[in-house]
């Protein structure tokens, strides 16, 4: 009976040694993967730093000015006029925000109106959307409030 018990203990010790070895091997593989990922992250960070430095060199104002002068005949660049700049509040609405006109009202208005009254009705229909709400238009540059002259950042309202 002692020999059978010894054989069982030897089998248990061999099984635990095998399990311990596989766990150790998996841990070493995971450690190698962590080192590989850390090396990739360092390479990406170095690449980002290099690209930032390159962008700083490429976008220097004196370099851009030399390029504009060198290629002025081909590009024919003009300075931006201050009247060409607009604020976000002055932009027209998005197409998705424009109210949809009622088709049945437009057809009924066109059938009942004739001649000059038809053009007046269609002109009125162009400025008034469905349900009697006027379509908002961009404010002219001169009528903008003083606070609109401040620099605004972020998304369009």
């Amino acid at each position: 009976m002692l020999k059978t018990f010894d054989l069982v203990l030897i089998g248990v010790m061999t099984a635990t040694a095998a399990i311990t070895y596989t766990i150790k091997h998996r841990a070493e593989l995971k450690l190698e993967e962590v080192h590989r990922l850390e090396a990739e992250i360092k390479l990406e960070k170095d690449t980002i730093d290099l690209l930032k430095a390159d962008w700083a060199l490429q976008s220097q104002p004196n370099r851009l000015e030399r390029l504009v002068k060198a290629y002025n005949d081909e590009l024919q660049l003009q300075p931006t006029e201050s009247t060409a700049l607009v604020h976000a509040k002055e932009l027209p609405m998005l197409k998705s925000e424009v109210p949809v006109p009622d088709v049945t009202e437009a057809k009924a208005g066109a059938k009942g109106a004739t001649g000059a009254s038809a053009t007046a009705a269609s002109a009125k229909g162009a400025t008034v959307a469905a349900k009697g709400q006027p379509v908002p238009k961009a404010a002219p540059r001169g009528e903008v409030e003083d606070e609109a002259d401040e620099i605004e950042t972020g998304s369009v309202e």
Side-chain angles (χ1 to χ4, degrees):
M1 183 159 138
L2 188 59
K3 290 185 177 186
T4 314
F5 184 68
D6 288 341
L7 290 175
V8 170
L9 286 179
I10 290 173
V12 169
M13 285 183 359
T14 306
T16 55
I19 292 172
T20 304
Y21 177 76
T22 56
I23 291 173
K24 178 184 176 240
H25 183 68
R26 287 181 188 165
E28 288 174 350
L29 289 177
K30 291 293 182 183
L31 185 62
E32 288 176 9
E33 185 179 354
V34 166
H35 288 306
R36 183 184 55 81
L37 289 174
E38 286 175 347
E40 284 182 24
I41 290 171
K42 184 179 183 319
L43 179 67
E44 291 296 323
K45 285 183 179 180
D46 291 344
T47 304
I48 289 171
D49 289 341
L50 182 65
L51 290 172
K52 283 182 180 178
D54 188 42
W55 177 254
L57 288 174
Q58 296 293 328
S59 63
Q60 287 180 344
N62 57 1
R63 178 185 174 276
L64 294 175
E65 186 176 355
R66 282 195 324 261
L67 289 174
V68 166
K69 286 179 183 176
Y71 297 105
N72 192 26
D73 295 335
E74 295 173 26
L75 298 175
Q76 299 177 353
L77 298 175
Q78 300 289 330
T80 304
E81 297 180 13
S82 62
T83 58
L85 302 176
V86 296
H87 297 283
K89 293 178 183 176
E90 297 174 300
L91 295 174
M93 292 177 19
L94 298 173
K95 287 184 179 180
S96 62
E97 296 175 352
V98 175
V100 180
D102 189 13
V103 178
T104 57
E105 289 179 12
K107 287 182 181 177
K111 288 180 183 177
T114 58
S117 61
T119 48
S122 64
K124 183 180 178 186
T127 58
V128 178
K131 300 179 184 173
Q133 296 176 349
V135 176
K137 294 182 180 178
R141 184 76 177 159
E143 297 178 15
V144 178
E145 301 171 1
D146 290 335
E147 71 180 44
D149 291 334
E150 298 176 9
I151 296 175
E152 296 181 13
T153 57
S155 63
V156 178
E157 296 173 354

